[in-house]
Amino acid sequence: MIEMGERIRVLHIDDEPDFAETTAALLESEDSLFDIETVNSVSDGLTRIADGRFDCIVSDYDLGDWTGIELLKEVRTEYPELPFILFTGKGSEEVASQAFSAGATDYLQKKGGTGQHELLANRIQNTVKQYQTTRAQQWLVDLVENTDRVIFSFTADWDDVLFMSSSYEEVWGRTIATLKSAPTDFLQGIHPDDREKVRRAMDSVSEGTQLDIEFRVNPDEDYGRWVRAHMEPIGTGTETENRIGGFAADITEHRRRQDRHKRQRETLLKLATDDAVTSGDFQTAVQRITEAAAHVLEVPRVNVWVVDDAGDTEVLKCTDHYETQTDSHEQGPVLVCEDYPAYLRALESHQAIDAVDALADPRTAELHDYLTDNDIGALLDGTLRSEGDVIGVVCHEHVGETREWTDDEIDFASDIADIVHRALRNRERRKREEELKQYRSYIDRVFDTIDDVFFVLAEDGSLIRWNDIVTKVTGYTDSEIESMDPVDFMTEADRDETVAAIEQVIDEGHAQLEASVVTKDGTTIPYEFVANRVNHPDGTTRIVGIGRDISARLEREQKLKRIREQMAFALDITDSILWAIDLETEKSTDYGPTERVFGAEPEGIDDFMANVVHPDDRETVSKVFAEIRERKTEEFNVEFRTVPSPDETRWVLSIGYIRNDETQEPDRLVGLATDVTERRKRERELQRQNDRLEEFTSVVSHDLRNPLSVAEGRLRLAQVDCDSEHLDDVETALARIDTLVTDLLTLAREGEEAGGQDILNLGEVARTCWKTVETADATLEIELDHQVRADRSRLRQLFENCYRNAVEHGGEAVTITVGHLDGGFYIEDDGSGIPEGDNEEVFKAGHSTNTEGTGFGLSIIQQVVEVHDWNIRATTGSAGGARFEITGVKFSEK
């Protein structure tokens, strides 16, 4: 009730300052007990309501961004009984209805004149009176219904305890007996930091102010218990107030909840703005999140699991497992999703799973092995979602006994999961940004360095980027290319294939095309294009391609085609076959007139042996193949017969080798098979000729020399018996016969290969030979001092026959010169020389311009030269005589 002289504190809220001040002045003039305070905004009004104690609130309806109804609802959340009068110029039944529905105490419409303020003053007095009466009644009810509260009554000066409920001892931790002997002993049960605040409150109540105050009590519990005390002066019906009454309620759990809310809000704000979360450093972010969540929820373990469906089986991977006891992080186990269907369904249908008893809860019971292995009694799991799909879970594990999870803890777990999801999204964003950065860097490097045409197309086939080579090749400027499509660069014949290739890249991811590019000046250039579909980091599809000028390649291909044609022609006319055998599979391939030479086209070694090689030669050829297989040799060289047709046998020489690769074992035998049937025939004919020549030389050597020796012996006897000039002629004839026989034998045998060769000095050999030849008055000049590798005997034959030829044809006083040539040497004389036109004829056997000569000397010289792989030609000497130049000689160092 409103006592005589008690002031009524009113807070008037109106966004029009002049009207508010006028209303306050008029109200105070109506009743001197009114203490009116005005504010012009909702925020100021809420601040004053929280800071001061008012008996009534008077508010306008239109308050800027707020309405009086919205303000009323906000006030009712903290002060459900405080009188609230909506004093507004916006009058309507709807507004009145809303006001009373929201809990307004009264509703009054602004009108003209001063009478409305008298009415408002009356409404305020009645409303406050009713409020105080109701509050007094409620206080009495509270005394009865809230026996767990500490109810007390003191004298106005706090010197005497009038009443203290028994709950005091449990809450305060002190005895009522002590309190009665020392009424202010209750102060000793209050936290030292709160005692001064309580003393000031006591003084205020003693002065007539009622108030509520919160403080900590009970030293036995380390002052961990919070109470909210309501104290007010209580009238006795007289003008003086001589006692104080009130009660103290235990709000420990409420304060803990408030503290928990505060820690949760601060933690969530800190994590949401954490640089690791915002930057996408997922692993660091997750570690900070699990540490913070473990601290706020007071659990020993927190871990984050992420769904991984990259493999054949979808699994949950523990990306971070945090243990508070060791303050350590590690990656935990992997759970196969299909093994825990109930748990996964629960995640899909709940923002968070609050399993008080994890082993008994049907949502988590199938995690039995994991729960028992880790001694988990309760679980609080926040679901990670992306676009509605479950992508993971944040598990808060309570070890040991079961645990009840509060609503704010459940909400907190859900919020923690959202922050983990945000870190995941930021990681993906960071990854995309890195990929985009790398992509752009790569494209820039490629564009700057590649020498080929390089381009990027959009999914619709339009050009997005191209390098400078495009402008260089086509002759178009960048601005011209911007308005062109890819087909605009192609010949009319290639445009449809170009469109089809672009569609193929989009559908299949890859395409290759050979087409001719038409430049700005009309030139056509053959190009090969290779393109691939790529996913751009921004999520779009691109076509990236390279074009390469293949003019040189086409030219090489044409050249190679001509070479192949020429090779095929050469193989055909020479009856040769190129072949290759895979030594692992023993399958063969060949190129050339196989059917004509082999009589079949074998597919492998076995087929070759059975259907190509003559039966009499199969053992020889098989032996060579065996040595190849066993790597006893890497060369293949064998002659064998084939039977292309029943009435034909051909000889084949096959030569090959094992192809070696630097990085692989030898694996292929390649070679050339040549039909040598004609060579074989020639060799047999030559052998027959050699046999006849050997027979001839045998006849000459034995059948002619024996009678000749008898004739020479008889001549010597006849010359002893008589002296006749006819006998001298006979001696000359017999000597010529002996010379002819010697030259014929030499000529017949000079075709053999040269014997052992030595390093010889040409000048010394030339001087030695001069001494062994009948040279009459001839002279020798040697201008040669070079060494050569040669057969000494045959080299002497060369010099000796040259000397004899010079003396026989140049005269007994002829001068012979031996000198050096570039790549050889010469022998010349100053005689009559070689008749015109006979330079080639002189080397034929039996040719001679001297009736005394045999005609075999120069033929023997030519054979000696050929055996040494030298060359000889006859020409005119510097003095007009005969000159023989021997070239192709390789001199040796001295």
Side-chain angles (χ1 to χ4, degrees):
M1 294 189 302
I2 303 175
E3 300 295 335
M4 185 67 66
E6 183 178 3
R7 301 192 64 79
I8 301 176
R9 298 188 62 199
V10 179
L11 178 65
H12 184 201
I13 305 172
D14 197 304
D15 62 347
E16 294 183 17
D18 292 339
F19 180 80
E21 292 297 331
T22 300
T23 299
L26 291 173
L27 287 174
E28 290 176 348
S29 66
E30 291 288 335
D31 192 336
S32 60
L33 295 178
F34 283 152
D35 187 357
I36 310 297
E37 183 175 344
T38 61
V39 294
N40 305 120
S41 68
V42 171
S43 59
D44 289 345
L46 291 173
T47 301
R48 290 299 300 125
I49 292 172
D51 292 343
R53 185 162 188 82
F54 294 94
D55 298 307
C56 183
I57 307 296
V58 177
S59 173
D60 191 8
Y61 179 87
D62 291 318
L63 298 172
D65 293 335
W66 285 57
T67 67
I69 303 298
E70 292 171 338
L71 173 62
L72 171 60
K73 291 178 179 179
E74 185 68 17
V75 170
R76 284 290 175 256
T77 59
E78 291 291 329
Y79 307 95
E81 304 298 332
L82 182 65
F84 189 105
I85 299 174
L86 190 64
F87 182 47
T88 176
K90 187 179 180 71
S92 70
E93 292 183 1
E94 181 182 359
V95 172
S97 176
Q98 291 177 357
F100 287 115
S101 296
T105 308
D106 206 347
Y107 169 82
L108 185 64
Q109 186 175 353
K110 296 177 182 179
K111 295 180 180 180
T114 59
Q116 65 175 343
H117 296 96
E118 181 180 353
L119 179 59
L120 177 60
N122 182 262
R123 294 284 181 88
I124 292 172
Q125 289 174 343
N126 292 336
T127 297
V128 172
K129 181 178 180 180
Q130 182 180 358
Y131 167 64
Q132 290 182 347
T133 301
T134 301
R135 189 174 61 179
Q137 294 172 347
Q138 183 63 41
W139 184 75
L140 292 175
V141 171
D142 287 342
L143 289 178
V144 176
E145 294 181 351
N146 297 284
T147 57
D148 58 333
R149 297 183 179 185
V150 178
I151 303 171
F152 58 85
S153 178
F154 287 82
T155 58
D157 55 6
W158 300 89
D159 286 339
D160 190 15
V161 180
L162 301 178
F163 175 80
M164 181 64 71
S165 65
S166 60
S167 57
Y168 166 80
E169 293 186 345
E170 179 185 352
V171 175
W172 245 260
R174 303 186 73 80
T175 65
I176 295 177
T178 303
L179 182 65
K180 288 185 176 180
S181 61
T184 58
D185 180 70
F186 69 89
L187 290 172
Q188 302 305 312
I190 298 174
H191 194 289
D193 294 343
D194 296 338
R195 289 173 188 168
E196 183 59 33
K197 177 174 66 174
V198 173
R199 287 193 182 96
R200 289 197 300 271
M202 292 166 60
D203 293 341
S204 296
V205 174
S206 295
E207 294 172 359
T209 303
Q210 59 176 325
L211 52 78
D212 293 327
I213 185 172
E214 295 179 3
F215 49 89
R216 292 162 289 179
V217 298
N218 203 323
D220 293 340
E221 298 177 356
D222 293 329
Y223 300 104
R225 189 185 294 256
W226 278 89
V227 296
R228 178 188 293 124
H230 173 77
M231 300 180 288
E232 63 180 69
I234 300 174
T236 62
T238 63
E239 294 184 0
T240 61
E241 298 171 349
N242 55 7
R243 61 192 175 101
I244 293 171
F247 62 87
D250 188 337
I251 61 168
T252 304
E253 188 57 37
H254 172 72
R255 286 299 297 246
R256 287 176 180 171
R257 188 165 53 251
Q258 284 185 328
D259 291 342
R260 216 168 40 239
H261 283 173
K262 182 179 179 182
R263 289 201 309 273
Q264 290 169 0
R265 288 193 301 271
E266 291 175 349
T267 299
L268 292 173
L269 177 61
K270 182 179 180 181
L271 291 176
T273 57
D274 186 88
D275 58 349
V277 174
T278 57
S279 68
D281 184 358
F282 181 70
Q283 203 56 45
T284 302
V286 165
Q287 291 182 1
R288 292 176 181 174
I289 291 170
T290 53
E291 289 177 10
H295 173 70
V296 171
L297 294 178
E298 297 178 350
V299 292
R301 283 195 298 266
V302 178
N303 37 61
V304 175
W305 304 72
V306 177
V307 173
D308 184 354
D309 56 1
D312 297 334
T313 304
E314 188 176 70
V315 298
L316 274 171
K317 284 186 175 180
C318 182
T319 60
D320 184 67
H321 177 87
Y322 175 62
E323 288 274 0
T324 58
Q325 186 174 1
T326 58
D327 192 26
S328 62
H329 294 267
E330 63 181 14
Q331 292 188 346
V334 175
L335 301 179
V336 178
C337 293
E338 63 183 20
D339 294 342
Y340 307 96
Y343 180 64
L344 267 295
R345 285 195 300 271
L347 290 177
E348 290 173 356
S349 59
H350 292 77
Q351 285 293 107
I353 298 176
D354 54 325
V356 175
D357 185 342
L359 286 171
D361 193 311
R363 298 172 297 178
T364 57
E366 62 188 8
L367 297 169
H368 179 274
D369 292 345
Y370 178 81
L371 298 173
T372 54
D373 290 346
N374 294 281
D375 191 27
I376 298 172
L379 275 178
L380 180 57
D381 294 353
T383 306
L384 296 178
R385 297 180 187 276
S386 178
E387 299 180 355
D389 295 328
V390 174
I391 61 170
V393 60
V394 183
C395 296
H396 308 86
E397 301 176 356
H398 177 76
V399 173
E401 301 296 327
T402 61
R403 170 174 169 175
E404 291 281 350
W405 303 101
T406 63
D407 291 342
D408 59 274
E409 289 173 335
I410 296 171
D411 292 339
F412 177 75
S414 181
D415 292 337
I416 284 292
D418 289 340
I419 293 176
V420 172
H421 180 219
R422 187 181 308 171
L424 269 173
R425 291 201 313 270
N426 289 335
R427 180 182 69 175
E428 294 304 315
R429 173 186 54 76
R430 179 181 181 181
K431 181 180 178 181
R432 289 194 299 270
E433 289 174 352
E434 288 294 327
E435 289 175 347
L436 181 59
K437 182 179 178 181
Q438 293 174 6
Y439 171 82
R440 288 173 174 168
S441 175
Y442 167 74
I443 292 296
D444 290 341
R445 289 198 307 272
V446 171
F447 270 71
D448 292 339
T449 60
I450 196 168
D451 293 331
D452 296 319
V453 166
F454 191 83
F455 57 89
V456 179
L457 306 182
E459 191 171 2
D460 62 1
S462 59
L463 278 164
I464 297 177
R465 289 191 68 180
W466 56 88
N467 63 355
D468 293 340
I469 304 299
V470 175
T471 58
K472 182 178 179 181
V473 169
T474 64
Y476 291 103
T477 64
D478 287 328
S479 59
E480 290 173 325
I481 294 174
E482 286 177 358
S483 62
M484 298 175 69
D485 290 325
V487 294
D488 296 336
F489 297 95
M490 305 302 170
T491 61
E492 191 70 31
D494 292 330
R495 291 188 175 184
D496 289 342
E497 288 191 28
T498 302
V499 173
I502 293 174
E503 293 174 351
Q504 182 182 353
V505 176
I506 295 298
D507 295 338
E508 302 177 13
H510 176 80
Q512 192 167 341
L513 171 70
E514 287 190 11
S516 293
V517 172
V518 182
T519 65
K520 189 174 182 179
D521 62 9
T523 303
T524 59
I525 307 172
Y527 260 77
E528 178 184 58
F529 296 95
V530 178
N532 289 285
R533 181 185 66 218
V534 299
N535 294 321
H536 193 273
D538 65 7
T540 61
T541 297
R542 301 287 174 86
I543 299 175
V544 177
I546 293 178
R548 179 164 294 175
D549 186 340
I550 58 173
S551 302
R553 193 198 76 190
L554 294 178
E555 184 178 346
R556 288 194 302 272
E557 289 176 352
Q558 288 298 322
K559 184 177 180 181
L560 181 59
K561 180 180 178 181
R562 291 193 298 271
I563 291 173
R564 286 176 175 168
E565 291 173 348
Q566 293 168 359
M567 183 179 70
F569 176 74
L571 292 172
D572 187 67
I573 64 173
T574 59
D575 288 331
S576 298
I577 301 167
L578 286 173
W579 55 265
I581 298 175
D582 188 319
L583 291 178
E584 291 185 3
T585 64
E586 296 197 349
K587 296 296 182 181
S588 62
T589 55
D590 49 69
Y591 187 69
T594 310
E595 187 74 29
R596 188 170 70 240
V597 176
F598 286 168
E601 294 186 358
E603 296 182 354
I605 293 178
D606 292 341
D607 190 17
F608 174 76
M609 294 299 299
N611 298 311
V612 174
V613 181
H614 192 283
D616 295 342
D617 295 334
R618 288 173 185 169
E619 183 178 352
T620 301
V621 178
S622 294
K623 182 179 179 181
V624 177
F625 273 126
E627 291 177 348
I628 288 291
R629 290 189 186 100
E630 296 170 4
R631 296 297 193 272
K632 291 181 178 180
T633 180
E634 293 192 357
E635 295 183 358
F636 185 88
N637 191 330
V638 66
E639 282 192 23
F640 56 90
R641 286 165 290 179
T642 67
V643 186
S645 61
D647 57 350
E648 181 184 17
T649 299
R650 305 188 72 86
W651 277 93
V652 175
L653 170 63
S654 189
I655 301 174
Y657 67 97
I658 296 178
R659 189 188 69 183
N660 289 284
D661 191 289
E662 291 182 358
T663 60
Q664 299 176 354
E665 290 294 322
D667 61 349
R668 291 177 69 83
L669 182 65
V670 296
L672 178 71
T674 305
D675 187 332
V676 294
T677 305
E678 292 302 320
R679 192 203 73 189
R680 278 276 185 165
K681 291 180 180 179
R682 290 194 300 273
E683 288 176 349
R684 288 196 297 271
E685 181 61 30
L686 182 59
Q687 184 62 44
R688 286 194 294 271
Q689 292 176 1
N690 288 338
D691 290 343
R692 288 197 297 271
L693 181 59
E694 184 64 31
E695 183 180 355
F696 167 75
T697 56
S698 177
V699 170
V700 171
S701 177
H702 297 88
D703 296 354
L704 289 182
R705 277 198 181 278
N706 287 341
L708 182 60
S709 297
V710 172
E712 288 176 342
R714 294 293 182 179
L715 176 61
R716 291 191 184 92
L717 293 174
Q719 286 175 335
V720 172
D721 291 342
C722 64
D723 185 13
S724 171
E725 62 180 10
H726 296 293
L727 293 175
D728 293 337
D729 292 336
V730 172
E731 184 179 10
T732 299
L734 290 174
R736 178 164 176 71
I737 291 172
D738 183 64
T739 301
L740 281 170
V741 170
T742 301
D743 286 348
L744 282 171
L745 290 173
T746 300
L747 189 62
R749 292 167 175 164
E750 283 302 317
E752 301 174 5
E753 293 183 359
Q757 296 186 358
D758 300 309
I759 302 296
L760 306 174
N761 187 289
L762 286 174
E764 293 178 357
V765 174
R767 291 187 185 89
T768 301
C769 292
W770 183 258
K771 298 176 182 178
T772 60
V773 177
E774 291 292 337
T775 57
D777 296 329
T779 58
L780 176 68
E781 295 181 359
I782 296 178
E783 301 173 356
L784 185 65
D785 188 25
H786 289 73
Q787 296 190 133
V788 66
R789 180 177 292 277
D791 183 321
R792 181 184 296 275
S793 174
R794 302 236 174 140
L795 187 58
R796 285 176 61 90
Q797 289 175 351
L798 184 150
F799 280 112
E800 288 171 355
N801 277 281
C802 274
Y803 294 162
R804 290 192 192 98
N805 184 74
V807 172
E808 288 178 0
H809 296 83
E812 295 183 353
V814 71
T815 298
I816 301 170
T817 304
V818 179
H820 173 260
L821 280 176
D822 186 13
F825 59 96
Y826 67 88
I827 304 170
E828 69 174 15
D829 61 56
D830 57 359
S832 58
I834 301 171
E836 186 175 354
D838 284 356
N839 287 14
E840 297 294 333
E841 295 294 323
V842 296
F843 293 109
K844 291 183 178 181
H847 177 82
S848 179
T849 57
N850 188 333
T851 56
E852 299 297 323
T854 65
F856 294 116
L858 292 181
S859 180
I860 293 171
I861 293 173
Q862 186 180 37
Q863 284 193 352
V864 173
V865 168
E866 290 176 352
V867 165
H868 287 84
D869 291 330
W870 299 339
N871 302 307
I872 187 169
R873 77 185 185 100
T875 184
T876 301
S878 59
R883 178 183 172 103
F884 299 96
E885 296 181 346
I886 296 89
T887 57
V889 179
K890 294 181 180 179
F891 295 113
S892 301
E893 294 183 1
K894 294 182 178 181

